[in-house]
Amino acid sequence: MSSTSQPLLGTRSTDTSVSAWWASRSRDVLSLLTVLLLLGTGLGIWVYGTLPTSDPSTNPHEYALSTDNIRHHLSKLLDIAREHNNSRSVTTGHSASGTYVLSQLERFGNCDAHKQRFVSPVWTVTQPPTLCVREPYRVDYIHETDFELMRYGGRSANITRGRVAVARACTADKVGDVGGRVVVVTSKCLLFETAFMLEQMGARAVVFVRSAQYKQPSRARVRLVEWREGDPLMTIPVLSATHSVGQVLTHASRVDIETHSQIDEVETFNILCVGRTGDPRNTIIVGAHLDSVRNGPGINDNGSGSSSILEIQLTLAHTKFDPHNRLVFAWWGAEEDGLLGSRHFVHTMAHNWTNKWSVYEPRIEWSDIALDLNFDMLASPNYIALVHNGTDAPRNARIGSQRIQRVFENYFARHQYTYEVTDMRGGSDFLPFVQNGVPAGGVLTGAGELKTIKERLVHGGLARAALDTCYHRDCDTLLNINIDALQKMSRAAMYAVSTLASTVDLRGYLAGHPEF
C-alpha cells in the first residue's frame, strides 16, 4: 500500500513546492516582464523615430502639404461639375475650374498666373449611328459590337443605298474611283491621312476594317495627332468595323449609314503659373490636366492631379520656399481631346507656333526648360502606386527621365511604400515634352486596367477589379477618391518638386554626371 500511496504523496509535495516558488518569485518575474516590456517599447520608439517615414525635419515641405486642403479643392471642382451637367470638359465646367484655380493662385500663390489660349476641336455624338447592308441581301449591324463611329469621324450624315467601293491600298493612285461611294478600307493605313485623302477624292463615307486579332471595332481618333487651329478635320463619316463585318462589306454593293455627330472648334486655355524666383535657365514644369471627359466630373481624372499641384504651389508660397531652379506650374486644357493643351504649349515654345492670343503671353524660352513633371490620376480607389519608367523616353530625353524616376523611387523607398514602374509611352501630358527632347517623369495610380492576383498580394485591394472602376464615368466623384493614395502620391509629388527645385546643378544631375 505504501508503494501505491507514495506517488500521490510525491505529487502533492511537488504542487506545494511550485506554489511556494511562485509565491517567492512572482514579483521578480513580473518585474522582469515589466522591464522587457519597457525595453521593447523604448526600442520600438527608437526604431520608429529612425524609420524613413519619420523625417519631417529633413523633408518639411512634404509634411506641410495638407491632404485636407487638396480634398477641399476637389470638393470645389465637384461643385463646379454639378453646375455644368456633371462635367468639367472643355465645353462644360473647364472654364469655371480655371477661374477657381486662378482665384486661389491670385489670393495665396507666389507666381505670375495667366491663361494661354488656344482652339480645340470638340466632337459630339447626339445619337448612336446605324449601319446596314442593303444589297445583295439585308444585314443590320449592332453598334459598339459590329461597328463604331470613330472619334472625330465627321459630321452628321444620312446615306441611303450608298454604293460600295473597296480600297485595298492606302495611296490615291491605287484605290481607283471612289467618287460618291462608301469606301471600305481593308489595308492597314494611317487613319486620318487615308480618310482625308478619300474625302478629297469624293468619297461619301469611309469604313476601316480591323484585322482578325481584334474582336471589337476601334474608337481611335481620326484627326491629326498634333492638330492646331487651321488644320483640316473630317466632314464625312468614318467608321470602324470588325474583321467579320468587313468580310461582308467587301462583297456588298449598297449600304445605309446614318450618323448624328458634330465638330465644333472652341476656344479654351492652359493656366500657367510662372515662378518669380529661381534660375529661369533651369525651369521645371509641374503639370496636370484640369479638364474632364464630357461624361463625368473627373474628380480622380484629373481633379486629383490638378488639385494636388495647386496645393503644392500654395504650400510652397505659404512656407516661403526659395527654389534654386524656377518652377512653372501648368494646368493643361483639352487633355481629354488628345493632349491638345500641352501640345500647344510645347509647340509654341519649341516650334514657334502662334495664334491670335500669343502676343499676351509672358516669354518662356524653350531652351530654359530642364524637365517636366506630370501628375495624372493620384487617388484611384483600387490603386497601385506607379512611377513612370524613364527608360521608355526617347534617346535624347532618356537619361534625364531615368534620373527623375530615381527621385520618385527614393521617396517610396524612404517610406517603405510598395510601388511599381509603369510605361511612359503615351496617354498623358508628358508625351509632347519627351518627344521634343525634354526629360519627364511622374506618378499615378492607374485607370481602367485590372489588378492581378499577384498585384493584390503586394499592394492590397481587390484582384480582378479595375484600379479605377469609375474611370471616365459619371461616378468619378469624391466617393471615388482613395484618401490614402491621395496623401501618398501628392506627397511624392511635393518631394520631387521641392527636391529638384533645390538641386544646384540640375542639368548635371539630369545628364547623369557621376557625382550624383
Side-chain angles (χ1 to χ4, degrees):
M1 291 189 50
S2 62
S3 61
T4 59
S5 63
Q6 187 64 37
L8 294 175
L9 292 172
T11 301
R12 187 178 298 115
S13 175
T14 301
D15 290 343
T16 303
S17 63
V18 169
S19 300
W21 180 86
W22 175 250
S24 63
R25 298 296 184 185
S26 59
R27 187 172 299 174
D28 294 337
V29 172
L30 291 173
S31 298
L32 177 60
L33 290 174
T34 301
V35 170
L36 290 174
L37 179 61
L38 290 173
L39 285 173
T41 302
L43 180 62
I45 294 171
W46 178 81
V47 168
Y48 180 79
T50 59
L51 280 176
T53 53
S54 301
D55 55 356
S57 61
T58 56
N59 295 278
H61 300 98
E62 178 186 325
Y63 287 86
L65 188 67
S66 168
T67 307
D68 287 341
N69 288 353
I70 298 173
R71 194 179 185 282
H72 174 74
H73 300 318
L74 290 173
S75 69
K76 292 296 184 182
L77 295 181
L78 182 59
D79 290 342
I80 289 169
R82 286 171 173 163
E83 294 168 359
H84 294 83
N85 199 28
N86 199 39
S87 175
R88 297 185 304 102
S89 70
V90 165
T91 57
T92 55
H94 175 255
S95 180
S97 299
T99 299
Y100 174 74
V101 170
L102 282 171
S103 69
Q104 293 294 299
L105 294 174
E106 290 166 359
R107 290 179 63 191
F108 308 114
N110 182 23
C111 64
D112 296 318
H114 74 286
K115 290 181 178 179
Q116 182 190 45
R117 301 180 186 274
F118 62 96
V119 169
S120 171
V122 176
W123 184 71
T124 307
V125 176
T126 56
Q127 293 183 40
T130 60
L131 171 64
C132 171
V133 171
R134 294 297 298 271
E135 293 182 9
Y137 39 77
R138 184 182 178 99
V139 183
D140 292 289
Y141 288 109
I142 301 173
H143 176 231
E144 296 181 335
T145 300
D146 300 320
F147 77 99
E148 182 60 271
L149 180 62
M150 302 182 78
R151 287 182 290 171
Y152 292 88
R155 295 181 169 88
S156 296
N158 188 355
I159 301 171
T160 302
R161 301 181 66 84
R163 292 182 301 163
V164 175
V166 179
R168 305 185 189 278
C170 304
T171 56
D173 59 329
K174 295 181 179 179
V175 299
D177 181 16
V178 298
R181 299 181 180 234
V182 174
V183 184
V184 179
V185 181
T186 60
S187 298
K188 188 176 182 179
C189 303
L190 295 173
L191 295 177
F192 175 79
E193 288 77 358
T194 304
F196 187 69
M197 174 195 73
L198 292 170
E199 179 178 330
Q200 297 296 101
M201 294 174 67
R204 297 181 69 186
V206 179
V207 182
F208 287 101
V209 178
R210 302 204 83 183
S211 62
Q213 69 187 89
Y214 300 107
K215 304 307 178 185
Q216 299 291 328
S218 171
R219 292 197 70 251
R221 291 186 183 92
V222 189
R223 192 192 69 197
L224 289 172
V225 172
E226 297 182 355
W227 187 92
R228 59 174 173 166
E229 186 177 7
D231 285 341
L233 295 162
M234 294 300 302
T235 60
I236 64 172
V238 183
L239 282 68
S240 169
T242 63
H243 184 74
S244 59
V245 172
Q247 297 303 300
V248 177
L249 291 175
T250 56
H251 293 89
S253 56
R254 292 185 181 274
V255 298
D256 292 348
I257 294 175
E258 186 173 354
T259 62
H260 302 270
S261 58
Q262 64 187 52
I263 300 178
D264 300 303
E265 295 184 27
V266 301
E267 175 189 327
T268 187
F269 56 87
N270 299 318
I271 293 176
L272 301 178
C273 162
V274 182
R276 297 171 182 149
T277 58
D279 187 352
R281 296 168 299 176
N282 293 308
T283 294
I284 298 170
I285 305 294
V286 182
H289 76 86
L290 184 59
D291 63 314
S292 77
V293 293
R294 190 177 182 86
N295 298 330
I299 300 305
N300 185 35
D301 183 18
N302 181 40
S304 61
S306 55
S307 294
S308 291
I309 70 167
L310 174 59
E311 188 59 28
I312 287 171
Q313 211 292 323
L314 302 185
T315 301
L316 293 178
H318 178 73
T319 58
K320 295 180 170 51
F321 177 66
D322 186 20
H324 182 80
N325 307 304
R326 182 175 67 175
L327 292 167
V328 173
F329 287 80
W331 288 264
W332 308 121
E335 189 269 358
E336 299 291 3
D337 296 311
L339 317 183
L340 292 181
S342 55
R343 291 186 193 278
H344 177 77
F345 173 82
V346 168
H347 290 287
T348 296
M349 298 295 107
H351 304 296
N352 297 315
W353 279 13
T354 59
N355 61 28
K356 58 188 176 183
W357 300 287
S358 298
V359 67
Y360 301 112
E361 296 168 9
R363 188 71 174 166
I364 301 174
E365 297 289 343
W366 177 251
S367 59
D368 289 342
I369 298 175
L371 64 95
D372 168 67
L373 297 175
N374 187 66
F375 303 104
D376 192 351
M377 300 183 66
L378 301 187
S380 300
N382 193 30
Y383 78 101
I384 297 174
L386 300 169
V387 179
H388 278 305
N389 187 359
T391 304
D392 290 335
R395 186 178 300 275
N396 58 348
R398 187 170 302 158
I399 294 176
S401 298
Q402 290 170 329
R403 285 304 184 97
I404 296 169
Q405 175 187 340
R406 180 188 295 182
V407 173
F408 287 110
E409 290 180 321
N410 288 344
Y411 167 84
F412 287 103
R414 180 164 53 82
H415 287 284
Q416 299 179 350
Y417 295 152
T418 60
Y419 72 96
E420 291 187 12
V421 174
T422 190
D423 69 83
M424 193 171 68
R425 298 188 180 94
S428 196
D429 291 301
F430 59 80
L431 188 61
F433 289 92
V434 295
Q435 287 178 333
N436 287 273
V438 172
V443 290
L444 62 158
T445 54
E449 59 270 36
L450 300 182
K451 180 177 286 186
T452 66
I453 293 176
K454 181 179 179 181
E455 289 170 339
R456 186 262 175 193
L457 293 173
V458 175
H459 304 283
L462 299 175
R464 299 194 180 99
L467 302 183
D468 183 355
T469 55
C470 290
Y471 175 61
H472 284 186
R473 296 175 59 193
D474 59 3
C475 56
D476 188 8
T477 66
L478 279 175
L479 295 177
N480 195 45
I481 294 295
N482 186 311
I483 295 297
D484 178 61
L486 183 65
Q487 177 168 298
K488 285 181 181 178
M489 306 307 276
S490 61
R491 287 185 175 184
M494 172 62 98
Y495 172 73
V497 169
S498 58
T499 297
L500 291 166
S502 302
T503 301
V504 175
D505 184 9
L506 181 61
R507 301 280 184 168
Y509 174 75
L510 296 173
H513 289 178
E515 58 266 29
F516 289 101

